[in-house]
């Protein structure tokens, strides 16, 4: 089966790669048909699988800051999969008036 894909999608090992593949099928019904055939999925199962992949949480470990302008700074919190670990702030962050942050 001949499918023209970027090299990083020739072997799908992560949910993020599958999500990208699903997004590409939205622009190409031919690609969608080929993938459904390759995976041996009915249209109903394809919908189920793609909806599950699109709703999966993408790993997000970026810290977040909650600013308190009245004290000139904010609290820095760690995150795990986008969920803020609000019970344990990591640090107080001073807001520099010149940086615009």
């Amino acid at each position: 089966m001949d499918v023209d894909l970027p090299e990083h999608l020739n072997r799908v090992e992560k949910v993020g790669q599958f999500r990208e593949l699903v997004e590409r099928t939205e622009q190409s019904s031919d690609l969608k048909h080929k993938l459904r055939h390759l995976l041996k999925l009915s249209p109903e199962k394809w919908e189920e699988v793609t909806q599950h992949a699109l709703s999966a949480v993408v790993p997000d470990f970026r810290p977040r800051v909650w600013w308190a302008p009245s004290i000139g700074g904010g609290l820095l919190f760690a995150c795990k999969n986008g969920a803020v670990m609000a019970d344990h702030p990591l640090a107080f962050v001073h807001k520099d008036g010149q940086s615009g942050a």
Side-chain angles (χ1 to χ4, degrees):
M1 181 178 302
D2 188 31
V3 178
D4 186 30
L5 293 171
E7 191 170 324
H8 73 280
L9 293 178
N10 286 338
R11 181 177 175 156
V12 176
E13 298 175 325
K14 298 180 180 179
V15 174
Q17 289 173 300
F18 187 70
R19 287 171 61 125
E20 185 177 342
L21 203 51
V22 169
E23 289 168 3
R24 287 176 178 269
T25 66
E26 298 303 317
Q27 276 88 47
S28 171
S29 58
D30 185 49
L31 177 59
K32 181 189 273 186
H33 176 75
K34 287 178 180 180
L35 284 174
R36 275 192 33 235
H37 179 72
L38 179 68
L39 298 172
K40 299 179 182 174
L41 294 173
S42 68
E44 295 79 21
K45 282 294 182 186
W46 172 258
E47 279 302 313
E48 184 180 330
V49 168
T50 58
Q51 289 307 310
H52 179 75
L54 293 174
S55 66
V57 175
V58 176
D60 178 5
F61 297 98
R62 295 174 296 169
R64 306 297 199 279
V65 176
W66 264 257
W67 296 107
S70 62
I71 60 172
L75 293 175
L76 178 68
F77 294 93
C79 290
K80 182 176 181 181
N81 292 331
V84 176
M85 312 300 278
D87 293 339
H88 305 286
L90 298 174
F92 177 79
V93 179
H94 185 273
K95 187 173 182 179
D96 181 0
Q98 296 180 6
S99 70

